[in-house]
Each structure stands twice: as C-alpha cells, then as structure tokens.
Amino acid sequence: MCGIVGYIGQQQAAPILLDGLSKLEYRGYDSAGVAVFDGDGISVNKARGRLEALYNKIDGGNTVSGSMGIGHTRWATHGEPSDVNAHPHLSRSGRFAVVHNGIIENYIALKKRLISKGFEFISDTDTEVVAHLFEYYYKGDIIETMIKVIQKVEGSYALGVLCSDYPDQFVAVRKSSPLIVGLGQGENFIASDVTAILKYTREIYRLEDNEIVVLKKDGVKIYNTDKEEIQKETNTINWDVSAAEKGGYEHFMMKEMEEQPKALRDTISPRIKDGRVILDDVSLTPEYVKNINTIHIVACGSAYHVGMVGKYIIEQMTRIPVNVDIASEFHYRDPIMSDKDLTIVISQSGETADTRAALDRAKEKGSRILAIVNVVGSAIANAADDVIYTWAGPEIAVATTKAYSTQLAVIYLLALHMADALGKISADEYADMIEEIQSLPDKVEEILKNKDNIQYLASKFFSSKSIFFIGRNLDYAVSLEGSLKLKEISYIHSEAYAAGELKHGTISLIEDGTLVIALATGGRLFDKTVSNMKEVKARGAVVLGLTTNEHPNIHDAADYVIEIPKTHELLLPSLAVVPLQLFGYYVASLKGCDIDKPRNLAKSVTVE
Ligand code: F6R
C-alpha cells in the first residue's frame, strides 16, 4: 500500500527511483510519480496506472536529470487514481515536493485553514495539505519546518520531502507507516522496505516514530523532535538479492509456494533442539503459562485464518480458551480481557494498521503481547512484548502463501511448548508431535511435486461462477484460507462454510454443476463431512474432495479427489492448504489474471 523511494548520490536519480519503485509494485498501487531536483528546481512527473506508464513517459528516467529525488507508488485512499492525485505533491511555490504513505486524519481541518490563508488545492488528496504546510511554516530551516508539520498532522505517515533551497539534502520521517534508510557509499536512500534498495546496499537504519532523517550523499543524520541529533545502530540485511527476484518463475506466487519447504525448515529447525521445542525468542515460563486465563488471537485476512486454525490447535492441546478476532473488529468492540490474558498478534508485514491498532488496544487492557511476524524490526514486532519471527524471507506476491505456512508452524511450536509447560501432553505424544512437525517440509515438498492433478482440476473449473469450500473444525479453518486464495486472485466468487452449517441456509445456493470443494482430512469427523458431501451432490453439486491417502472411500462421495500425505491430525492444515493455494493459482492463471498484483489489493495494508 503506497511505496516510497528516495535517492541522493552521484548517479542520475530518476532511473534508480523507477527501479526502486518497481520492487515496491507488490505493495499495490494505481499511479506513480517521481520528483527530481536538477540544480535549479524540482521537476515532477506522474502517471496513472502501471509504473510502465511513468517509465515510458520519462524514457526510463533518461529525460529527467538530477541526482537527488523522491518517488512514489500510490494506492488511492483520498481521491480517485489520477495523474493529479498521484504523488509527489508540490507546495504552492514549487519549493517543496512531498511523497506520503499513510493517512492524514485531520486533513480537512488543515485544508480549511490553509485555504483561509490563501492556499489553493489542485488534488483531492490528504497529502497535498502536507506540501502546503511545509510552505506555510517554512522560515528557512527544513528540520524546524518538519518538526512543526509533524506536530500539526494527525494520523499515520511516512514522508519524503525535497526542498529546492537545499540542493544537497532531503528529509524524511515516519509515524506508524514503514520507512527505512539505506546507507550506501557516496549515496543514500529511503524506502518503504528493503527490497527497493537491496541491490545498492544492505546497511540500513530502521526509524522509530518521528525520528527525522536528513540525507546527504556522503552522510545521514537523524534528529528527534527537539532537533537534537540522535545516534542509532545500523542493521545489516542478510536477505539474498534473489529472494526479492522472480528467479525464472512466471509469478512470485508460484516461487513463494515452491519456497514453502525451505521457509518451514528455516522456521522450525532452529527451534527444535534435542527433541525439545526451544523458543529462545520468548519468555513463556511454565509459571506464566499456568496463569494464562484466556488467549486472544488477533489478525487480518490470511493471518486471521491462521488464528482460526490456531484456536483449534491451542485449545485442543492446552485446554486454555482461545478467542480469535478480526483485528479491525477487536479494536472497536471494547474486548473483555485482563492482565492474565495473552494476546497473540499475527502479521507477515508487521505493518498492518488494523492489527497494530488491535495490539495497542490489548496492551491498554493490560494483556501481554506475543507477535508472530515475518518482517524484522517492523512496527508490530517493535510494539510487542515478545516476538517469534517466521523465517519466510521476503514475500512479494500479494496473496500470501509461505507466510501463512510459517505462521502456522509457529502456532504448532507454541502450542506444543505450552501444552508441555502445563503437563497436558505425554512424553510419547510430545515426541510423536516433534517428529511430525519436523516432517512437514518434506511432505509439503511431496505435494508440490504432484501439481499436475491440481492443474488439471483447475482447467476443469476455471470458468465457474461460484465455488464453495466446506469442512469441519480444522478443515473448516483451512477452507477459509482456500476460499480467500481462490477469490482474491481469480475473482471467482467463493465462500467457505462449516460443513454442518450448510443445511441452515447455504445449501439453497447449490445448483447443477456448482463446484463444492470438501475438506475431509481428519479421521474423527470424516464420516460427518462425507454425509455433507453427499447432501450437496444429491442437489447437483460437483464435489472435489480433499483428504489423506488413508481415506480411499472418499471416492464414493466425491467426483474428483486430491490426496495429501498423512500426518498427525492436528498438523493436517499445513498440508491441506498447499493444494488449495495451487488450485487458486492455476485457476487465476487460466483466467489470465494478474496473479501477483490482484486488482484493488495491496500487500501491506497500512491504513485502517
Ligand atoms: C491474503 C493476504 C492478506 C493478509 C492480510 C494481513 O492472501 O495476504 O489477507 O494476510 O492483509 O497482512 P499481514 O499478515 O501483513 O498483517
């Protein structure tokens, strides 16, 4: 959701800005723009639509000269996607150019005030207010102006600001929106995330809220809001550059699905030593675990679906009650909780605004916060009491796959750790579970080797108007993710239902030929789900059953079958989700959809 890149150095800025923006395309956007200082003034170029439109407009950056600039990909919130609403925005005199990620919540009041002072607005955006505020408060000192502006604006922001009075430096700041500073040799950068600058440097500063950065080509200084310089530690990024490249795959999504065995190994292996779960990252002592009253899991989208699986797993293994909430609902419903509760927040990006707000709400209520996060040093990781990182590497495709799988793996480790602390699991069961968790990467690999059947099934059903997913308990929780994967990238309407709930309304939607994907992986509820499959089949549905190779009799109720390897019943979601991801992918591919960048979606949802 909006991407920012900024550059100062010896090279031409525009091609570097375009290159950086191309790495941020995955975040979701509908227009793009760059502002470059050429020694005389700031030139701005913007274009609605794909980055390619901007690229063509400025010939890959060759028509814009200057070695300092800022660039932006905009995901529209205030005002339609258009050239005029695209960033950067200029102040009245053209002295300031601003790029912004986030939302200025009090922009209407600020806009009225600026209009009363004679400012004219040409866009519908909240960001233009910031550009004019810079002009309004400017008395010759850019840092003081930045301090004044951030004291006036409310909401979330990552800002990059050029000022034509400062030909050798530009400034940036962030609050509740991501922004990092890249430190090169004779050149420095800002970016919404490291993928944009990985090609140029691995040394970065992670900024805290309202730390103001002044970037020159040969140095970077950081100030607090009292204009005092502060010293910060640099971080070295150890991601491989290829981790953020497609590496021969047609889509990042396929690459990331294929990376799941490795991502699972990287997440699981360092946390199992001598047959025991070792969560070095957190301090969940047995005393603490014994005193937990309720666990709340809060997240959005697929991360919420991990929470749905987590509820079944954690309750089953620990007998601690677990509430799962959609973060945007949790935040506004005054949840009942106490300091004896543990809140688990799950987020790939660590920047999701709703999840962050829910975290703050749980903290206010005295709950301890444990975050399961993929991006190191992200806002949610920083705000939590404990963090368990998923070592999935950068996830670029908007539709999550490897982050979901590694989040689930962390849930298993956590549940096992807590069950052991509570004495709820025997030594044999514990050892069995460890062995099965360790075997998950190989089993996922096995599923990925047999993609042909799923591709064939996708070819049979890619023209469906509507597809239903059903399952019970854990299978229901996985159905939610299967349905989301399909609908978000293929645009086919899809719903997931608890199989037993069908008769209470939904079954009326079943017509001749409606595809129902039925998950019946576990033993305990297998027969019950098979009955539901027969019910829909009797009403004309075509049934695709997903089960383990232990249940050949599913063929009686299903027209088509996908088989997954068997494992411990509680771990089956890790395997069941993979064919569903592949099914969504192949359906979307056959429909010619933009798989990595589905319409209207953004990877990192940094606004509420
Ligand atoms: C769907 C998907 C989203 C995210 C959700 C939360 O494929 O990726 O539903 O899961 O937006 O994002 P994070 O995990 O970054 O908080």
Side-chain angles (χ1 to χ4, degrees), residues 517-532:
I517 301 184
L519 278 71
T521 61
R524 198 167 55 91
L525 295 167
F526 180 79
D527 292 340
K528 297 255 177 232
T529 307
V530 165
S531 301
N532 299 127

Side-chain angles (χ1 to χ4, degrees), residues 190-208:
I190 54 167
S192 296
D193 83 39
V194 288
T195 51
I197 56 164
L198 213 49
K199 192 157 137 188
Y200 310 99
T201 179
R202 284 163 183 283
E203 289 301 301
I204 64 157
Y205 283 129
R206 296 188 189 281
L207 297 177
E208 299 296 322

Side-chain angles (χ1 to χ4, degrees), residues 253 298-306 346-356 372-375 380 395 397-401 403-404 407 481 484-485 488-489 598 601-605:
M253 186 177 169
V298 217
C300 303
S302 295
Y304 165 76
H305 296 157
V306 171
I346 309 177
S347 176
Q348 185 283 128
S349 61
E351 302 290 348
T352 303
D354 287 319
T355 311
R356 174 64 211 266
I372 300 175
V373 175
N374 194 39
V375 177
I380 289 172
E395 192 178 63
V398 164
T400 183
T401 52
Y404 175 97
Q407 287 161 356
E481 178 60 6
L484 177 61
K485 258 337 46 117
E488 69 181 333
I489 57 173
L601 285 175
K603 178 71 179 162
S604 178
V605 186

